[in-house]
Amino acid sequence: MGPGSHRLSLSVSVSSLGLLLLLPLLPECFGAEGRLAHKLFRNLFANYTSALRPVADTDQALNVTLEVTLSQIIDMDERNQVLTLYLWIRQEWTDAYLRWDPDAYGGLDAIRIPSSLVWRPDIILYNKADAQAPASASTNVVLRHDGAVRWDAPAITRSSCRVDVSAFPFDAQRCGLTFGSWTHGGHQLDVQPRGAAASLADFVENVEWRVLGMPARRRVLTYGCCSEPYPDVTFTLLLRRRAAAYVCNLLLPCVLISLLAPLAFHLPADSGEKVSLGVTVLLALTVFQLLLAESMPPAESVPLIGKYYMATMTMVTFSTALTILIMNLHYCGPSARPVPAWARALLLGRLARGLCVRERGEPCGQSRPPESSPSPQPPDREAGPPAGPCHEPRCLCHQEALLRHVATITNTFHRHRAAQRCHEEWKRLARVMDRFFLGIFFSMALVMSLLVLVQAL
């Protein structure tokens, strides 16, 4: 071993000896600090009272600084219009009777004591919506040598909030929390916010609401009961609803159903399901309307999604009624009157060409010219047995009787063809009306759906 090893061993021995000598002194140091804190506490609170405002001059206003940290949105009761929040509230003020010289107490510049021992401002939430009396949190205050008092206390607040659901589920809410002194006026206690807004550094994200901010604003109001002004601080919580769940569960099914309803005009009339489809869509919308009514609070204004549901149900009702009328046109029997001339020219002519409603084998854009139904010509006289007692097989009277029979058959065939053409014209008119109302109602459903979905962007 060299000289370096001996020197290292010697320094370690000296250090260990120093620690052994200091260990008995550590409890005495800690005990001295504790005795100084007890002495300071006894000296401070020997003649102190927490019942009076701690100011040297009673005409002087005591300044209280209020700071709020939003931790969590517990609940938004839209039906009862109550907002429940978890807040951290910090209040700071100066107590003129709780000051000391740190050098006289071994450099002790701050102590922590129960908040019930010192005077506390009676700052409460004005728009409180809880039936229970406000309870003070049993937390300590930090007392500094210059008399500055800092009181941090957690609080679960239930405040009233006017909820406007006119744009539901794309609505934004503004809920104010107003803090102020209950008994002290502005000449005795002045409340000031710390910063321009509440802190959101420790906020836990909510699944339904997105917080846009929480600005603070100081007001000075004069109430009818008192002549002196009362200052308060209002923190306005700006919320916007997360509408993804409502769009998927309530809005998107209604949009799909509303787009399905006009397709009843595209169904063939012979299928027998045109009216059934409209009634089924109407029942489905009624079920979704009941689900929406259960989740919505009663309000004076109808929400946006409620207006969309009512407009869609009205559209489906009218489309079903028109489907019934069009089916009545389709099933006009041979005994029906012919299509009016104006309807034949306007609907079966121009509108049929514009909507590309054509017969089989007819090119689009060209309509078959309406055929005039020939009026059957009755025979000159009713057919009957040949007059006279003619028994000659080649007599002309027998040929005249045959011609009368052929004319009767021809007239019957013409009447049948005319009735058939009249029936076909009514069926074609029904197809034209189906195509026309299909475009009208599908455009209406598409426009209404786009107007509602644009609100989500």
Side-chain angles (χ1 to χ4, degrees), residues 160-419:
S160 59
C161 177
R162 182 177 178 82
V163 181
D164 183 14
V165 295
S166 58
F168 178 86
F170 311 108
D171 54 329
Q173 306 297 333
R174 297 172 59 92
C175 298
L177 287 84
T178 303
F179 294 90
S181 176
W182 189 251
T183 58
H184 296 91
H187 301 307
Q188 297 176 334
L189 192 146
D190 189 13
V191 184
Q192 296 284 345
R194 177 181 292 276
S199 175
L200 303 176
D202 300 312
F203 177 68
V204 179
E205 291 293 335
N206 189 267
V207 295
E208 186 175 2
W209 296 96
R210 183 170 68 251
V211 177
L212 304 179
M214 199 173 179
R217 183 168 61 97
R218 180 179 179 271
R219 302 181 305 172
V220 179
L221 302 178
T222 302
Y223 299 95
C225 64
C226 312
S227 59
E228 57 181 332
Y230 280 80
D232 60 51
V233 176
T234 301
F235 294 91
T236 304
L237 182 60
L238 306 179
L239 300 173
R240 182 173 293 278
R241 192 187 302 270
R242 301 180 189 270
Y246 295 97
V247 170
C248 294
N249 297 329
L250 292 178
L251 188 58
L252 189 58
C254 182
V255 171
L256 297 178
I257 291 174
S258 65
L259 295 178
L260 182 65
L263 295 180
F265 293 106
H266 194 63
L267 278 177
D270 297 331
S271 65
E273 298 294 335
K274 294 172 71 71
V275 179
S276 301
L277 177 60
V279 173
T280 303
V281 169
L282 192 61
L283 291 176
L285 289 174
T286 304
V287 172
F288 279 103
Q289 178 71 21
L290 293 176
L291 293 177
L292 177 66
E294 291 180 357
S295 61
M296 288 302 303
E300 297 179 359
S301 58
V302 181
L304 177 64
I305 190 172
K307 295 178 182 178
Y308 177 70
Y309 270 69
M310 289 189 295
T312 305
M313 293 175 68
T314 304
M315 183 191 69
V316 174
T317 302
F318 276 106
S319 66
T320 306
L322 288 173
T323 301
I324 296 173
L325 296 178
I326 293 173
M327 288 186 66
N328 191 18
L329 296 179
H330 179 84
Y331 287 106
C332 281
S335 60
R337 292 183 299 177
V339 178
W342 66 268
R344 185 182 293 111
L346 181 62
L347 301 180
L348 296 181
R350 298 180 180 178
L351 188 59
R353 287 195 299 268
L355 298 176
C356 203
V357 179
R358 61 187 185 276
E359 298 291 343
R360 183 174 301 176
E362 181 182 346
C364 182
Q366 297 181 2
S367 62
R368 184 179 57 188
E371 300 179 2
S372 59
S373 55
S375 57
Q377 298 295 332
D380 294 338
R381 58 180 182 270
E382 294 182 357
C390 181
H391 299 286
E392 293 294 331
R394 295 181 179 275
C395 183
L396 293 177
C397 63
H398 294 295
Q399 295 179 1
E400 292 177 358
L402 180 61
L403 291 176
R404 285 194 297 269
H405 287 298
V406 171
T408 302
I409 294 174
T410 303
N411 291 333
T412 303
F413 179 74
H414 285 167
R415 286 195 299 268
H416 178 72
R417 287 292 303 271

Side-chain angles (χ1 to χ4, degrees), residues 53-119:
R53 201 163 48 97
V55 291
D57 186 2
T58 55
D59 295 332
Q60 180 184 1
L62 181 63
N63 297 321
V64 178
T65 303
L66 184 65
E67 181 181 0
V68 171
T69 300
L70 178 61
S71 178
Q72 185 180 3
I73 300 176
I74 298 177
D75 182 42
M76 168 68 90
D77 189 354
E78 296 161 335
R79 184 169 296 274
N80 297 319
Q81 299 193 359
V82 174
L83 175 65
T84 305
L85 301 176
Y86 179 53
L87 304 176
W88 297 344
I89 302 176
R90 169 175 291 184
Q91 303 178 50
E92 297 180 351
W93 66 94
T94 300
D95 196 316
Y97 301 108
L98 297 179
R99 296 175 178 176
W100 71 91
D101 183 9
D103 297 334
Y105 295 93
L108 188 62
D109 61 346
I111 58 174
R112 289 165 175 80
I113 57 177
S115 59
S116 58
L117 299 178
V118 300
W119 177 89

